[in-house]
Amino acid sequence: MGYEEFYRRSIEQPEEFWAEQARAIHWHKPPQQVLDYSNPPFRKWFAGGETNLCYNAVDRHLGERGEQLALVAISSETNLTREISYRELHAEVNTFAAVLKSLGVGRGDRVVIYMPNMAEAVFAMLACARIGAVHSVVFGGFAAHNLALRIDDAKPKLLICADAGMRGGKVIAYKPLVDAACEEAASPPPHVLVVSRGLDPGYNIVEGRDVDYAVLRAKHEGARVEVEWLESNEPSYLLYTSGTTGKPKGVQRDVGGYAVAMALSMWSIYDVRAGQVMFSTSDVGWAVGHSYNVYGPLIAGATSVLYEGLPTNPDPGIWWRICEQYGVRTMFSSPTGIRVLKKQDPSWLTKHDLSKLHWLFLAGEPLDEPTAHWITDGIGKTIIDNYWQTETGWPVLSLMPGLDLKPVKFGSPGLPTPGYKLRVIDDNSGDDVAPGQKGVLVIEPPLPPGCLTTVWNDDARFLSSYFSHFKQLVYSSLDWAIRDEDGYTFILGRTDDVINVAGHRLGTREIEESCSTHPSVAEAAVIGVHDELKGQVPVVFATLKQALGGESAAEAAASMQQRVVEQLGGVARPARVYVVNALPKTRSGKLLRRSLQALAEHRDPGDLSTLDDPGALEEVRRALERGA
Ligand code: ATP
Ligand code: MG
């Protein structure tokens, strides 16, 4: 079946469509109702059905593919690689589940996981899923305060952490951060389970609270723990959004709908089936890590490659070496990751045999056209821009090579994926805008399976964050978009990032895109800065590629301005261009435009708890003082 028909069925006959997709997973008890939409916009997919994510990801494959690799965990930090078959994964997860039970964790209890990209993080997640505990993975790079906030929101019965992580060869001790977070939190967990990698052998042990995983693992090795069958709409996990625009929201996911969405997306979007290999460069702490490092590939019976380390360590060919070594079919990364490589020698892209690699998906941030061209030409593969949100759990816009590959249009993540009834509407009137016109991208409810069911413990915030922007009941993505005549959607940036120059509303993305066409530019961030005369003017912060080719930063800045004027008109002309060495980003690699804007307007940069590199913000501060 081709894309058009498949998508049309998902919209016109949603219940038949999803009932069919639901057959891809194992149900302990079949659903009684495909969709219960008696309380809009809350909805229940596969109501009454009973299933389990761990059973679908692990146990179900034992018969046919017990000896196949389920997980390959590669670390260029510790120089260790672990290859784990489905049978071994089953054993590890059972042991871990027995350990959890021995610590009093059961169905519905929350468990915070604070670990780097290591195999035990995956075991811990699946072990929670097995016994019906609700995991909340907190990205290992977050500071104690971020962790404390999430602890207080989730109120976990247990926190699982590693002794330490590593980044660029440097050991980052986690345990002191956990201790500080437990101090700060109003409701700290009664137990902390430490998975020691021997990176920080002398870590502090709090008597009565801290337990060593190695000791309990030895005690429970070989244990078998029964799968807890959950009603389809019980919570499976919590995951906080990236916090680019403010306080992160605790996205709550269900069990059945999520499993079905994972199964569908794996074959139809990512074109990965049982026995094939998927490599996602994400951290398990992000939405991509949950869906396409853990649940998606494993539910599909595929092999998932997990990577701990920088894209440039030991050299900028590491990702492609992994693709060659494990015969990766589909790779998943982010535009930010590719822009890191763009600063390196492009010959690294062609040193490895990529004959098995079919697709590279990129998500998380706008994929600017120059970067898309650079990587397409560099590796000679189809690059697929993927648009989604932590909230949705899987792509909203994508091409679907597992069905049939529609033409790639650079700058666009393509077409709606099954079940997503998308509209682009005027932000004032709420009416649909014409093709080619800018509006807000919204999803007509009910949201498809896989998307968030609510904000943890806060139905009111679920409604106010996503459903209160328009008079009709629609889910607002909070992103600007344009849909062209062919139905391809272009994402223009976040609704709170728009720049208003003398009444002209400009998307940050359009100007960034235009700056990036300059051959020396690696990355550009554009913000609107208050201006007495025009209301706001665009200001650019840009990083340059290593080889400047004799051109000075000032020359590059001037020609960026010129390009914007040529491509978008005088109204979009950047008032100032600052060339810096690094741009402030969140830990998940998203530009923190709100902080740039605050600094440029001499305001407090706001909540910086998700900031990755404080040095980048300092540099911006200095650049502003120096002047453009
Ligand atoms: P918060 O919601 O806490 O402010 P966040 O929106 O950055 O954080 P995520 O869920 O990680 O949290 O990111 C989703 C957002 O990332 C989208 O709403 C969109 O703005 C941006 N995004 C993701 N993929 C793409 C893409 N392919 N093209 C353009 N923008 C994208
Ligand atoms: Mg968001």
Side-chain angles (χ1 to χ4, degrees), residues 241-245 249 389-391 466 475 477-479 494 590:
T241 58
S242 298
T244 310
T245 53
K249 298 164 279 268
Q389 306 180 310
T390 305
E391 290 86 343
Y466 305 110
Y475 171 94
S477 69
L478 306 174
D479 287 316
R494 296 162 191 269
K590 292 159 189 285

Side-chain angles (χ1 to χ4, degrees), residues 240-249 286-287 335 362-367 385-391 397 413 466 477-479 491-494 509 586 588 590:
Y240 292 84
T241 58
S242 298
T244 310
T245 53
K247 186 172 170 250
K249 298 164 279 268
W286 308 129
L362 299 174
E365 269 247 289
L367 174 61
D385 186 353
N386 227 218
Y387 167 84
W388 45 298
Q389 306 180 310
T390 305
E391 290 86 343
L397 290 164
Y466 305 110
S477 69
L478 306 174
D479 287 316
I491 303 292
L492 303 179
R494 296 162 191 269
R509 162 130 194 219
T586 64
S588 54
K590 292 159 189 285

Side-chain angles (χ1 to χ4, degrees), residues 498-501 526-541 575-576 578 593 596-603 624:
V498 76
I499 305 178
N500 197 329
V501 186
V526 172
I527 51 161
V529 173
H530 177 73
D531 180 87
E532 284 300 328
L533 214 59
K534 298 176 178 168
Q536 274 187 320
V537 288
V539 168
V540 179
F541 295 85
R576 292 177 289 283
Y578 299 92
R593 294 187 191 78
L596 279 175
Q597 185 186 40
L599 286 185
E601 292 182 342
H602 313 290
R603 286 183 287 115
L624 285 164

Side-chain angles (χ1 to χ4, degrees), residues 137-182:
V137 183
V138 177
F139 171 59
F142 277 140
H145 176 65
N146 304 73
L147 183 56
L149 290 177
R150 288 161 177 77
I151 289 174
D152 278 338
D153 198 57
K155 301 192 172 47
K157 197 139 191 199
L158 177 71
L159 186 150
I160 308 172
C161 69
D163 58 340
M166 277 180 82
R167 189 160 147 133
K170 226 179 83 199
V171 171
I172 300 159
Y174 280 19
K175 189 59 182 29
L177 302 175
V178 169
D179 291 345
C182 289

Side-chain angles (χ1 to χ4, degrees), residues 231-268:
E231 199 277 333
S232 182
N233 293 279
E234 284 184 54
S236 57
Y237 67 76
L238 312 181
L239 178 59
Y240 292 84
T241 58
S242 298
T244 310
T245 53
K247 186 172 170 250
K249 298 164 279 268
V251 163
Q252 178 177 326
R253 206 85 71 203
D254 65 4
V255 181
Y258 183 62
V260 171
M262 287 301 98
L264 168 67
S265 60
M266 281 302 296
W267 69 265
S268 66

Side-chain angles (χ1 to χ4, degrees), residues 13 48 95 164 235 237 318 358 406 427 457 498 587 623:
Q13 297 160 288
T95 305
Y237 67 76
I318 177 69
H358 278 66
K406 298 290 166 205
D427 61 325
N457 243 336
V498 76
R587 286 291 190 160

Side-chain angles (χ1 to χ4, degrees), residues 50 66 192 220 247-248 260 290 305 351 385 392 414 440 538 563 572 613:
E50 286 180 8
V192 172
H220 293 278
K247 186 172 170 250
V260 171
H290 281 62
V305 180
K351 285 194 173 43
D385 186 353
T392 67
V440 180
R563 268 166 201 264
D613 169 16

